[in-house]
Amino acid sequence: MSAAQDTADRILDAAKTLFAERGYAATTTRAIAEAAGVNEVTLFRRFENKLGILKALGERLALRQAGHAAAAVPDSENVRDTLLRLARMEIEGTIEDGGFAIRMAFDAKSVPEVAALLGEGIPSNLEGLGEYMAEHQATGELRDDIDAKVMAEAFFGLTSSYVMYRMVMGVGDLPADVAADKGIEQLFDVFWSGAANAKERQ
């Protein structure tokens, strides 16, 4: 990793933590720079302003979102295995970024910049996964009597609520290893039993 990338990552990590703790509006670029161990000039040179940091955080989050990752999945890959992998990825990302995401969801009601970012990211994530679902409905692997977007919403209801319920309500422990957690796979199988075409469930 280059020194410039390391500096950028430290700025983004600091901003994510402060945005989660204080909210977007109450977090200053000076506070972010201090937490990252850089001066404000470095921060401005890299991201221009606080909105630039917020956008970069949104781009970084998108890398771990199922709807964006689904576009790169090879056609030959097993649908169930792919969706389970995407579910685990989405859950892992939500565990890591959940505090930030929850705070931004609240901030979106009063901060236009945050509302605009969420308004771009969430629909594109849903649309991307919906397109993947539709492609595999056309091949007969997924049920075609359910709207692809509804199927994608059910998927996100599974992954996001798994983490958020535990974070917000304090119910149940979050898995130490998402990739090996059997509870996640069992929860996914509830989704799969409703989404897969009958022959795929056999």
Side-chain angles (χ1 to χ4, degrees):
M1 180 185 296
S2 68
Q5 186 59 52
D6 178 66
T7 298
D9 285 342
R10 282 191 289 121
I11 292 170
L12 292 176
D13 289 342
K16 185 178 77 171
T17 298
L18 291 173
F19 289 161
E21 292 173 354
R22 306 178 183 180
Y24 178 79
T27 301
T28 64
T29 52
R30 176 178 291 182
I32 295 169
E34 287 176 359
V38 301
N39 59 50
E40 276 190 280
V41 174
T42 300
L43 184 151
F44 293 138
R45 188 179 297 127
R46 182 65 181 82
F47 296 104
E48 294 188 11
N49 51 34
K50 188 167 68 168
L51 181 57
I53 294 171
L54 182 66
K55 287 180 178 178
L57 279 171
E59 290 167 4
R60 191 164 78 168
L61 265 60
L63 295 175
R64 289 197 299 266
Q65 292 178 328
H68 297 105
V73 173
D75 290 340
S76 60
E77 193 168 313
N78 178 277
V79 178
R80 182 191 179 279
D81 292 347
T82 296
L83 288 173
L84 177 58
R85 178 171 54 80
L86 293 176
R88 291 190 189 283
M89 182 188 71
E90 189 85 20
I91 288 169
E92 186 172 34
T94 307
I95 289 171
E96 186 172 330
D97 301 316
F100 167 73
I102 291 168
R103 186 59 186 255
M104 291 304 97
F106 282 111
D107 279 4
K109 296 178 180 179
S110 58
V111 183
E113 300 97 304
V114 176
L117 181 72
L118 292 183
E120 293 170 5
I122 293 174
S124 65
N125 191 24
L126 180 62
E127 182 179 337
L129 189 62
E131 288 173 359
Y132 177 84
M133 300 291 194
E135 288 170 10
H136 291 278
Q137 286 176 323
T139 63
E141 295 161 288
L142 297 175
R143 289 173 55 181
D144 62 4
D145 59 330
I146 300 173
D147 185 276
K149 184 178 177 182
V150 171
M151 198 176 283
E153 288 174 345
F155 177 92
F156 289 124
L158 155 81
T159 55
S160 299
S161 65
Y162 178 84
V163 178
M164 295 302 184
Y165 189 58
R166 285 160 174 75
M167 274 189 171
V168 175
M169 305 301 292
V171 177
D173 295 326
L174 291 167
D177 183 357
V178 169
D181 189 271
K182 286 293 183 187
I184 291 173
E185 186 166 359
Q186 290 172 349
L187 193 61
F188 172 81
D189 279 336
V190 173
F191 164 81
W192 180 249
S193 68
N197 213 335
K199 65 182 180 65
E200 296 293 329
R201 295 197 302 270
Q202 294 173 354

